């Protein structure tokens, strides 16, 4: 609601925050009112095509290969944001829970949550320490706010013992 004086212009801004990636339409009708009654009515159709944010990992998997039991190896994976807005993220800790015989985790990733800035990246340090002689395979789920599609990082490794 507002008033535009004769010979002047006005600018309207429409802001839309989507919940899901799809095409959305909204119909509006703007009325020009003079002396309390509608003189003219203008229909307006607003259309928004929502696409998933361009937030991704620099690689989809990490393979630590074969490591001696108790040995630690670290790799860095980058969570990258090609958008002009920041996005918060969190890792689903249940997707990479596995404890060694000493109660310490076999796989650790830091940070487990945070914000990746506009057109920026965040390093995710992936640390693998096998405690049992076996193959390990984790599909680490990464939740990015406002990104409906799930992201995952596949982490593999194998523990061996020297006799």
């Amino acid at each position: 609601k507002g008033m535009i004086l004769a010979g002047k212009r006005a600018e309207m801004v429409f802001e839309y925050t989507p919940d899901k990636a799809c095409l959305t339409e909204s119909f509006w009708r703007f009325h020009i009112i003079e002396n309390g009654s509608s003189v003219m009515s203008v229909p307006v159709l607003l259309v928004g095509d929502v696409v998933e944010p361009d937030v991704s990992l620099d690689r989809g998997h990490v393979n630590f290969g074969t490591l001696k039991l108790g040995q630690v190896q670290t790799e860095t994976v980058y969570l990258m944001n090609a958008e002009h807005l920041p996005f918060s993220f969190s890792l689903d800790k249940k997707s990479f829970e596995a404890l060694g015989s000493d109660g310490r985790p076999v796989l650790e990733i830091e940070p487990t949550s945070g914000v990746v800035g506009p057109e920026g990246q965040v390093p995710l340090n992936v640390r693998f320490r096998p405690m049992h002689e076996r193959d390990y395979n984790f599909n680490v789920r990464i939740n990015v706010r406002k990104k409906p599609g799930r992201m995952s990082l596949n982490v593999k490794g194998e523990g061996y013992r020297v006799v």
Side-chain angles (χ1 to χ4, degrees), residues 5-155:
L5 299 173
K8 299 295 179 181
R9 303 182 335 174
E11 182 178 310
M12 291 188 288
V13 177
F14 296 89
E15 193 171 305
Y16 171 66
T17 305
D19 292 330
K20 56 186 175 184
C22 66
L23 185 70
T24 303
E25 297 178 347
S26 181
F27 296 96
W28 294 82
R29 187 167 291 277
F30 293 96
H31 299 277
I32 297 176
I33 299 173
E34 189 175 293
N35 297 329
S37 63
S38 182
V39 175
M40 185 166 66
S41 178
V42 179
V44 175
L45 170 64
L46 300 176
V47 179
D49 188 11
V50 180
V51 294
E52 204 165 291
D54 191 4
V55 178
S56 61
L57 296 168
D58 70 331
R59 56 189 163 146
H61 67 280
V62 175
N63 190 345
F64 285 103
T66 306
L67 291 178
K68 192 169 109 181
L69 298 185
Q71 184 179 352
V72 177
Q73 187 171 337
T74 303
E75 292 276 338
T76 302
V77 176
Y78 290 91
L79 180 61
M80 301 181 304
N81 179 8
E83 299 289 339
H84 67 282
L85 299 170
F87 286 92
S88 60
F89 71 92
S90 65
L91 277 58
D92 183 355
K93 293 179 186 176
K94 291 182 181 177
S95 66
F96 61 98
E97 270 184 343
L99 297 178
S101 54
D102 61 356
R104 294 188 349 205
V106 172
L107 184 68
E108 291 181 287
I109 303 175
E110 292 179 339
T112 56
S113 65
V115 175
V116 57
E119 298 173 1
Q121 59 185 15
V122 172
L124 300 175
N125 295 312
V126 182
R127 193 178 99 167
F128 178 64
R129 187 177 58 88
M131 294 306 292
H132 299 287
E133 196 169 13
R134 70 179 190 90
D135 291 331
Y136 292 90
N137 187 11
F138 300 95
N139 287 308
V140 180
R141 288 189 300 272
I142 302 168
N143 301 310
V144 176
R145 187 180 159 110
K146 298 292 183 191
K147 182 174 175 78
R150 290 257 173 155
M151 290 177 33
S152 66
L153 173 66
N154 180 257
V155 180

